[in-house]
Amino acid sequence: MAPADLRIPYGGQYGASSSSNLLSAPPPSPGRAPPSIRSVSSVSSLRSQSDSRYAAAGDASMRGGIPPSISDKFAMSPDPAAWGAELSPNHREPDDDLHNPDPRRDRKNDKGGTIFTARGIVNLGCLLILFVGMAMLFAGYPIISHFMKKPQATYGGFNLGGTNATGQVPSMAGNWGLIDLDTPQEAYNKADYINGVQWELVFSDEFNRDGRSFYPGDDPYWEAVDLHYWETNNMEWYDPSAITTKNGSLVVTLSNKETHDLDYQGGMMSTWNKFCFTGGLVEVSVVLPGINNVVGLWPAIWSMGNLGRAGYGASLEGMWPYTYDSCDVGTLANQTLNGLPLAATTGGDPSNGDVLSFLPGQRLSRCTCPGESHPGPMHTDGTYVGRSAPEIDVFEAQVRAVPGQTILSGQVSQSAQWGPFNAGYEWLNTTDNLIIPNTTTSWLNPYMGGVEQQATSGVTITNDEAYELTGNQYAVYGYQYKPGFDDAYIGWIANGELAWQLKQPGMAADSRVEIGGRPVPQEPMYLIVNLGMSQNFGTVDLEHLTFPTTLKVDYIRVYQDPSAKNIGCDPDDFPTAAYINHFSLANSSGFRLGHAIPIWNFPVPVARDMLKAQVMQNLYPPVSNFTFSAAVTNEAASLLHSATVNMQSAISMLSHAARPSVLPQLSVPRFSLLEDDTSLPPIVESPVQRIGSNGDMITLMKTLQDYEKRGLGPGDALKALDGVRVLFSGLR
């Protein structure tokens, strides 16, 4: 910049000493270039001496030798012109190219280069990692967690996910887990009996703690029943007091003890709706009761589908012994429709006119219509999966003669029950479908079925020392099975060895009776232990049997293939909880309307509140002839009257049925109120008739039984049966 262009800031003169002139510089000498910033004295950048707190160096005005401050010395004027900088736009500076783009000059650079440099990749990669990380944190993780989470279960706890609903089961005093803490470690894995594959323990009970109680609510997995098992005409009453633990074993006692007007008392307990399994190996260690040459005892350990509760007939009607998933005549009552097929009407049970089946029809069949009651699930074609309460027995002990001999021996019958039935109860027991490793100790049971069930059963001779009155030794029994069709199977274990095996193709479709194949039970199964007596099972030698007698169980263990674990009573593919809860009363009554007539002729004292509660249930089964020795309330009496009216309606329906010739002349039954019935309302003050073993109620029930056996179809018969469904039972 030329010297003439230099301007004096704030209107001051060079060298002027004025407070208004904040910045000053010495005037340039004529003929000299403007001073550069390096040639200008630092003093010239200071304020006038009159405005400064300090005198310039060498100035006479500096008093006391005080130098200027550092800030004063190195402060620069805000005006670049004061530094001697060239401010002309024509003055070229080294960085002008950065601020003055030239398209011609920069054309090559603008078109060249690539973004895929190491630096670019690192920068973009870092951004990509940050983006993906944030997406996974706020979107990916919640979505993945939703689809991969496992539903919480109550295994080992008493709430959803455990006792505190977090999925954690705390350490508790006692032994409450699925696997008993007393189970030895070497028993946690076991080679299966069929393929030799190592399976894992999923449930065990060692019964090592003495004095356990199995009354309802006392045990997390087992519950003893308090009822008469009328379905098989048992001679004893099942009472929870007959079951306990002692000396490291479960002890079920059958005694000659009058209970509820029956001469004997036994015990039965189960894991119904508490512990269930689908597929696997059940293994038990047992000392059988009595001795191996006296007949009559009926000890058993067995399993049943969770939709039916053993001893509670209302839950079993149309459920047991079915295991069926076809929609055809096999689901119908008596396995017939309009008298066809003929093979279902002949060649059956010789004790029942050679009729093949008296089953009432599968309640939850594949033929179930949309909107009707069914627990599900559904097939892909929109039809329901056939559901039921099938049965597989670990063993039923018996004393029989070996075929071809006369000497009695101890044996176990190991079987599965099936419905619907093959023609003549003959399943396809070819060499491909039936395996008996040792035919000298095991053979097929000659009993193959009757109007109530088809049985596939093998019999094995027991260890003579494995009885209470002989060697008191424990023997191992069990069964191993794979549910379903095709490669499904059941193999039974006796004396610690595979006794016999059935493969599912043996229960394939039977064109003679027009039924489809029956799967190896696919339902969640629960365990049952009981000891009783019944002449239905065989001769009972009361003269030589000794009482009390006990069934002792050292342990019960359940194993499963690690790749096919399925425990729980309400699995997703075969749910039961909603159905059981909806029909909860069916699992609280011990009777059913069906083909077996219970023993009615024993008086049962009933407290007033119990009578009222039971009558108000208005449940499924028939009225018993229980003689009520307690006074009843007016409300209960009114309900009893309603039951009588309904029974009268049922009789009327039966009298107009298709075959009235099978019906006797029936009078309306009445209840016997033995004590103070003078306060009852007029509706029940008419003369009463005591219902006994020969009373009209029994006659009516036998008529209903005969009516169903004749297969008159679902029309009038079902109407008649509905007329008695409001009646109650199970009072005690």
Side-chain angles (χ1 to χ4, degrees):
M1 181 181 292
D5 293 330
L6 290 175
R7 300 181 184 276
I8 307 302
Y10 308 111
Q13 301 295 323
Y14 289 112
S17 178
S18 172
S19 62
S20 62
N21 193 8
L22 299 176
L23 294 172
S24 63
S29 301
R32 294 182 60 185
S36 69
I37 191 171
R38 298 293 185 186
S39 63
V40 177
S41 170
S42 63
V43 177
S44 64
S45 67
L46 300 175
R47 291 175 294 179
S48 64
Q49 292 181 7
S50 61
D51 293 334
S52 175
R53 294 177 299 167
Y54 306 99
D59 196 320
S61 64
M62 183 175 66
R63 298 178 178 87
I66 301 176
S69 69
I70 297 298
S71 60
D72 286 344
K73 181 177 180 180
F74 293 99
M76 300 182 68
S77 171
D79 184 3
W83 313 340
E86 177 62 68
L87 302 180
S88 171
N90 297 322
H91 178 72
R92 188 173 183 81
E93 296 180 345
D95 61 350
D96 281 352
D97 290 341
L98 299 176
H99 310 294
N100 298 311
D102 185 346
R104 293 182 180 180
R105 180 196 65 204
D106 300 331
R107 184 176 182 179
K108 181 178 180 180
N109 292 333
D110 290 344
K111 288 187 175 181
T114 175
I115 64 172
F116 297 105
T117 63
R119 180 177 179 179
I121 292 175
V122 170
N123 290 341
L124 291 178
C126 182
L127 292 175
L128 180 62
I129 292 173
L130 290 174
F131 175 78
V132 172
M134 294 179 66
M136 286 296 298
L137 177 62
F138 295 107
Y141 177 73
I143 294 174
I144 294 174
S145 298
H146 173 75
F147 288 104
M148 294 188 67
K149 70 178 181 181
K150 296 182 179 180
Q152 291 181 323
T154 57
Y155 303 152
F158 304 96
N159 197 352
L160 182 63
T163 55
N164 57 1
T166 64
Q168 300 172 334
V169 180
S171 177
M172 300 169 57
N175 195 351
W176 308 106
L178 281 170
I179 297 178
D180 194 323
L181 297 178
D182 292 330
T183 303
Q185 286 294 322
E186 58 269 21
Y188 274 53
N189 295 276
K190 185 177 184 65
D192 79 86
Y193 287 87
I194 306 296
N195 303 306
V197 177
Q198 286 293 316
W199 284 11
E200 295 180 2
L201 186 69
V202 296
F203 174 83
S204 65
D205 199 330
E206 305 295 321
F207 304 110
N208 283 352
R209 182 171 62 86
D210 289 354
R212 284 170 60 180
S213 167
F214 299 99
Y215 278 84
D218 285 355
D219 193 90
Y221 302 113
W222 298 97
E223 181 173 319
V225 297
D226 191 0
L227 52 77
H228 173 235
Y229 206 87
W230 58 268
E231 290 97 329
T232 50
N233 293 320
N234 278 37
M235 301 170 64
E236 76 290 334
W237 183 277
Y238 283 144
D239 193 285
S241 64
I243 308 178
T244 187
T245 52
K246 184 179 180 181
N247 297 327
S249 294
L250 176 73
V251 179
V252 185
T253 302
L254 177 64
S255 55
N256 188 357
K257 177 181 179 182
E258 183 176 353
T259 308
H260 295 286
D261 288 337
L262 293 176
D263 293 332
Y264 300 92
Q265 181 190 86
M268 182 174 81
M269 71 177 191
S270 77
T271 65
W272 175 76
N273 216 29
K274 298 176 184 292
F275 168 73
C276 304
F277 59 97
T278 306
L281 164 65
V282 182
E283 192 175 77
V284 302
S285 179
V286 171
V287 174
L288 295 173
I291 196 169
N292 64 339
N293 60 1
V294 178
V295 301
L297 299 179
W298 192 4
I301 298 180
W302 48 299
S303 61
M304 179 178 282
N306 196 56
L307 285 175
R309 187 179 184 188
Y312 293 78
S315 71
L316 297 171
E317 189 80 358
M319 302 291 287
W320 176 91
Y322 286 100
T323 173
Y324 203 49
D325 190 27
S326 298
C327 182
D328 52 35
V329 70
T331 67
L332 301 182
N334 311 113
Q335 284 185 226
T336 59
L337 178 63
N338 299 324
L340 298 174
L342 292 177
T345 62
T346 61
D349 189 343
S351 62
N352 285 278
D354 289 332
V355 175
L356 182 68
S357 172
F358 281 167
L359 292 185
Q362 188 177 6
R363 184 193 301 178
L364 302 175
S365 74
R366 189 165 182 171
C367 301
T368 303
C369 297
E372 294 183 340
S373 179
H374 194 287
M378 301 188 76
H379 291 285
T380 55
D381 62 1
T383 59
Y384 282 106
V385 173
R387 303 294 303 276
S388 59
E391 175 184 342
I392 304 177
D393 300 333
V394 175
F395 72 82
E396 294 174 285
Q398 62 185 30
V399 176
R400 302 281 194 277
V402 175
Q405 301 181 17
T406 58
I407 300 176
L408 297 177
S409 68
Q411 305 163 8
V412 287
S413 170
Q414 298 177 297
S415 60
Q417 325 305 324
W418 308 85
F421 311 152
N422 289 91
Y425 315 113
E426 297 173 351
W427 61 284
L428 307 178
N429 56 354
T430 64
T431 54
D432 292 332
N433 304 322
L434 169 64
I435 299 174
I436 302 179
N438 186 350
T439 56
T440 61
T441 58
S442 299
W443 59 90
L444 278 185
N445 196 330
Y447 174 78
M448 296 185 296
V451 292
E452 300 286 350
Q453 63 176 317
Q454 178 178 351
T456 55
S457 177
V459 177
T460 300
I461 298 175
T462 58
N463 177 2
D464 291 343
E465 299 299 312
Y467 286 82
E468 176 188 21
L469 299 180
T470 57
N472 206 38
Q473 296 180 6
Y474 287 88
V476 174
Y477 306 95
Y479 73 83
Q480 174 182 323
Y481 80 113
K482 180 179 181 180
F485 295 91
D486 301 328
D487 61 344
Y489 63 85
I490 311 176
W492 282 269
I493 295 93
N495 303 317
E497 298 178 347
L498 181 65
W500 79 285
Q501 181 183 353
L502 174 152
K503 296 184 179 181
Q504 189 278 329
M507 306 306 297
D510 190 340
S511 60
R512 298 172 296 175
V513 287
E514 301 177 10
I515 64 171
R518 287 137 297 171
V520 171
Q522 304 175 94
E523 298 284 341
M525 308 290 282
Y526 66 96
L527 297 168
I528 307 162
V529 179
N530 67 275
L531 173 58
M533 297 184 298
S534 173
Q535 293 181 346
N536 286 22
F537 190 62
T539 302
V540 179
D541 186 359
L542 293 175
E543 181 180 355
H544 296 97
L545 288 173
T546 59
F547 298 98
T549 185
T550 60
L551 167 67
K552 292 192 284 290
V553 182
D554 182 32
Y555 63 77
I556 297 178
R557 298 170 184 164
V558 180
Y559 296 85
Q560 287 186 332
D561 188 331
S563 64
K565 286 186 177 181
N566 189 346
I567 56 176
C569 296
D570 187 38
D572 292 338
D573 52 347
F574 281 85
T576 66
Y579 187 84
I580 290 173
N581 292 336
H582 184 72
F583 296 100
S584 59
L585 292 180
N587 298 295
S588 61
S589 170
F591 298 98
R592 69 172 179 171
L593 180 60
H595 314 302
I597 302 299
I599 299 174
W600 306 104
N601 58 346
F602 51 89
V604 180
V606 182
R608 176 183 302 178
D609 292 340
M610 284 191 64
L611 174 62
K612 179 179 177 181
Q614 291 287 341
V615 174
M616 291 183 68
Q617 287 184 5
N618 287 341
L619 191 61
Y620 193 107
V623 170
S624 74
N625 69 320
F626 292 146
T627 302
F628 305 123
S629 60
V632 295
T633 63
N634 288 345
E635 183 177 6
S638 177
L639 289 168
L640 288 174
H641 175 68
S642 298
T644 300
V645 172
N646 284 324
M647 183 62 73
Q648 189 173 25
S649 299
I651 295 171
S652 177
M653 293 177 189
L654 284 171
S655 66
H656 292 87
R659 296 188 182 183
S661 61
V662 305
L663 304 173
Q665 295 297 318
L666 301 176
S667 60
V668 178
R670 302 288 184 181
F671 289 91
S672 179
L673 306 172
L674 299 183
E675 295 184 4
D676 185 19
D677 56 357
T678 58
S679 61
L680 297 177
I683 57 174
V684 291
E685 284 186 6
S686 57
V688 296
Q689 172 187 353
R690 178 168 180 169
I691 305 301
S693 59
N694 297 317
D696 284 346
M697 180 62 65
I698 299 302
T699 305
L700 175 62
M701 293 312 302
K702 288 182 177 179
T703 301
L704 294 176
Q705 176 187 14
D706 183 69
Y707 192 85
E708 287 188 326
K709 287 181 179 179
R710 292 172 181 267
L712 297 182
D716 291 329
L718 289 182
K719 293 179 182 177
L721 301 185
D722 287 338
V724 296
R725 291 182 191 277
V726 298
L727 304 178
F728 63 96
S729 65
L731 299 180
R732 59 181 181 79

